[in-house]
């Protein structure tokens, strides 16, 4: 069978005030075109269909139309909820999805059988997919309790809970003559972040070892980390990465989908297929004079200005580089904490004095900014 694995669409993303809606239309059209050309038996979307738990009607239309178009290629389509998605809202779409032949799993249900999906390809290859949406720490404990795997003790870690849940969902993976698959939205220890993920759900207690996946799985399709990559483990484990760079921290990523060919008796053959429709994200740096001389690269820009901060600097840069979405003083020019600058002490100091100390600590010598602060402070006081 052939599988198309994608994730982390983040439809509805706004980057520094710039809508990415048109880019998302082009990106998803590219994913659909790959599906039409490659004719996969199964399409797996491993979470974060949306960028926010309250997507706009436009974002909802785009996602539902993309899922429908993928289904019309003849593939079975399975999508799970990610940490950016509203799991209950996705589950509310299940009647529509089932009528369209699409499988949605927004959140974890009480019956573990609902997360085990069976299918057969047109050529008669049987497959089983364990589909685990994103679980926060508190819901991981609740899911373990629901499945009665063990008493949920306070000393158990998030990884313990995820391991027990996945063990329950993959209990039948020792059956021969069937392709065994897993999809989940989580962070695996040792994998590289892409740069735009939500930190609270990728660090600290949210990383799990690759050993939570069974060695009997033919392929594990992961979402959550935005960089396409293979993860070392007991079976083939892979992040497809995001098909669109959602933030400047991801500008070096290569947006792609993953294509997998596998049978019950042969190892998975895996390859990437680039998705190139999105506008590139680029970083440029220099003084105003240097920025005036460069030929701006195509794409949305992050600009690091090698000038001392002053009023109106942002506007000057924006005039030179109209596609600049993010403008910052070059970090190399900002004094490091404790580098000899005076640290403001709050007790007994006026707002003007505190603000002056802050400007001094940042190397900001423009009197116009101090005067503007005084004017604003007077307005507030009155």
């Amino acid at each position: 069978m052939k599988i198309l694995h994608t994730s982390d669409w983040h439809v509805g993303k706004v980057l520094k005030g710039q809508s990415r809606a048109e880019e998302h239309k082009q990106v998803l059209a590219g994913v659909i075109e790959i599906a039409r050309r490659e004719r996969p038996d199964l399409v797996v979307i491993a979470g974060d269909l949306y960028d926010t738990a309250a997507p706009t009607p436009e974002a909802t239309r785009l996602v539902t139309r993309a899922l429908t178009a993928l289904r019309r290629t003849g593939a079975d389509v399975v999508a799970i909820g990610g940490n950016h998605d509203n799991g209950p809202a996705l589950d509310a779409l299940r009647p529509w999805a089932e009528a369209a032949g699409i499988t949605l799993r927004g959140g974890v249900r009480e019956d573990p059988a609902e997360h085990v999906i069976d299918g057969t390809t047109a050529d008669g290859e049987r497959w089983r997919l364990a589909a685990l949406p994103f679980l926060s720490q508190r819901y991981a404990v609740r899911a373990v309790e629901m499945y009665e795997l063990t008493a949920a003790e306070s000393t158990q870690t998030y990884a313990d809970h995820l391991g027990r849940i996945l063990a329950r969902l993959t209990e039948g993976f020792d059956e021969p003559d069937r392709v065994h698959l897993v999809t989940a939205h989580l962070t695996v220890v040792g994998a590289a972040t892409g740069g735009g993920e939500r930190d609270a759900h990728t660090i600290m207690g949210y990383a799990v070892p690759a050993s939570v996946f069974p060695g009997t799985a033919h392929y594990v399709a992961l979402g959550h980390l935005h960089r396409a990559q293979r993860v070392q483990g007991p079976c083939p484990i892979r992040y497809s990465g995001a098909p669109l760079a959602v933030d400047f921290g991801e500008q070096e990523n290569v947006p792609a989908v993953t294509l997998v060919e596998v049978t019950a008796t042969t190892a998975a053959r895996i390859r990437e297929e680039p998705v190139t429709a999105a506008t590139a994200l680029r970083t440029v740096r220099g003084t105003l004079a240097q920025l005036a001389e460069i030929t701006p690269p195509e794409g949305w820009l992050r600009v690091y200005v090698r000038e001392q901060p002053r009023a109106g600097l942002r506007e000057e840069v924006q005039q030179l580089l109209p596609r600049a979405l993010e403008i910052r003083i070059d970090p190399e020019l900002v004094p490091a904490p404790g580098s000899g600058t005076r640290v403001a002490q709050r007790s007994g100091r006026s707002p003007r004095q505190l603000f002056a100390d802050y400007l001094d600590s940042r190397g900001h010598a423009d009197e116009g900014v101090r005067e503007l602060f005084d004017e604003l402070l007077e307005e507030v006081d009155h």
Side-chain angles (χ1 to χ4, degrees):
M1 67 180 297
K2 182 183 284 188
I3 304 155
L4 189 155
H5 166 204
T6 179
S7 72
D8 296 279
W9 291 357
H10 287 273
V11 174
K13 174 68 178 179
V14 175
L15 177 61
K16 312 300 180 184
Q18 174 64 46
S19 170
R20 313 292 296 282
E22 287 303 316
E23 293 176 72
H24 264 119
K25 289 178 184 177
Q26 296 170 15
V27 164
L28 293 183
V31 173
I32 293 162
E33 180 54 36
I34 293 171
R36 287 173 178 156
R37 183 175 69 247
E38 295 288 342
R39 308 294 296 179
D41 299 290
L42 173 64
V43 175
V44 177
I45 304 102
D48 280 355
L49 286 78
Y50 298 104
D51 190 61
T52 172
T56 64
E58 179 185 25
T60 301
R61 281 194 299 271
L62 182 53
V63 166
T64 54
R65 288 174 180 175
L67 294 175
T68 301
L70 289 169
R71 174 61 180 147
R72 285 175 178 166
T73 67
D76 286 307
V77 176
V78 178
I80 62 173
N83 61 304
H84 282 254
D85 295 317
N86 184 325
L90 283 181
D91 282 329
L93 291 174
R94 283 179 60 169
W96 162 82
E98 289 167 3
I102 298 164
T103 301
L104 282 182
R105 294 295 182 266
V108 174
R109 295 296 187 95
E110 292 191 9
D111 182 1
E114 288 205 40
H115 297 279
V116 180
I117 301 148
D118 290 322
T120 305
T121 70
D123 293 332
E125 187 80 62
R126 294 190 308 134
W127 55 268
R128 170 168 288 180
L129 173 66
L132 181 64
F134 175 76
L135 273 172
S136 68
Q137 287 178 321
R138 60 176 178 168
Y139 283 108
V141 174
R142 180 172 178 268
V144 169
E145 291 172 335
M146 286 192 307
Y147 294 174
E148 297 179 350
L149 301 174
T150 183
E153 300 173 354
S154 60
T155 56
Q156 291 176 320
T157 66
Y158 180 78
D160 291 332
H161 297 314
L162 265 291
R164 287 174 170 82
I165 293 166
L166 283 165
R168 177 65 184 272
L169 298 182
T170 59
E171 282 177 349
F173 274 29
D174 54 356
E175 182 180 335
D177 301 323
R178 186 172 63 194
V179 176
H180 300 121
L181 308 167
V182 177
T183 184
H185 193 87
L186 46 74
T187 302
V188 176
V189 174
T193 59
E197 300 89 352
R198 187 171 290 170
D199 285 345
H201 293 152
T202 57
I203 59 176
M204 298 181 293
Y206 272 94
V208 303
S211 58
V212 298
F213 302 110
T216 49
H218 289 81
Y219 181 72
V220 176
L222 297 181
H224 194 31
L225 302 187
H226 295 176
R227 181 178 300 175
Q229 60 192 294
R230 180 189 174 203
V231 179
Q232 294 290 338
C235 56
I237 304 169
R238 187 168 180 83
Y239 288 96
S240 67
L244 175 149
V246 301
D247 209 339
F248 286 102
E250 301 181 10
Q251 63 183 26
E252 301 302 325
N253 295 353
V254 179
V257 299
T258 299
L259 292 165
V260 183
E261 293 183 65
V262 63
T263 73
T265 57
T266 59
R269 291 183 295 160
I270 301 168
R271 61 187 170 93
E272 289 184 14
E273 187 70 23
V275 179
T276 59
T279 302
L281 304 182
R282 305 292 186 213
T283 298
V284 297
R285 61 204 321 149
T287 63
L288 276 178
Q290 291 168 335
L291 295 174
E293 294 296 323
I294 68 171
T295 300
E298 293 185 4
W300 302 118
L301 303 181
R302 174 174 60 181
V303 183
Y304 286 140
V305 190
R306 299 189 63 83
E307 302 269 355
Q308 291 300 321
R310 65 174 183 274
L313 181 59
R314 178 182 180 83
E315 288 73 17
E316 292 179 58
V317 175
Q318 198 80 56
Q319 287 181 350
L320 293 174
L321 302 170
R323 290 181 69 82
L325 299 184
E326 182 177 337
I327 300 170
R328 296 184 179 183
I329 301 300
D330 194 316
E332 295 177 4
L333 296 183
V334 178
S339 60
T341 57
R342 183 158 55 102
V343 178
Q345 300 296 320
R346 289 180 177 273
S347 178
R349 301 180 67 80
S350 71
R352 287 184 177 87
Q353 291 170 322
L354 290 172
F355 187 64
D357 282 345
Y358 169 77
L359 293 179
D360 289 343
S361 73
R362 307 294 285 186
H364 201 310
D366 188 355
E367 286 298 324
V369 175
R370 300 173 193 246
E371 293 171 3
L372 179 58
F373 179 82
D374 288 343
E375 292 176 13
L376 294 172
L377 186 60
E378 286 181 12
E379 288 185 19
V380 172
D381 287 341
H382 287 93

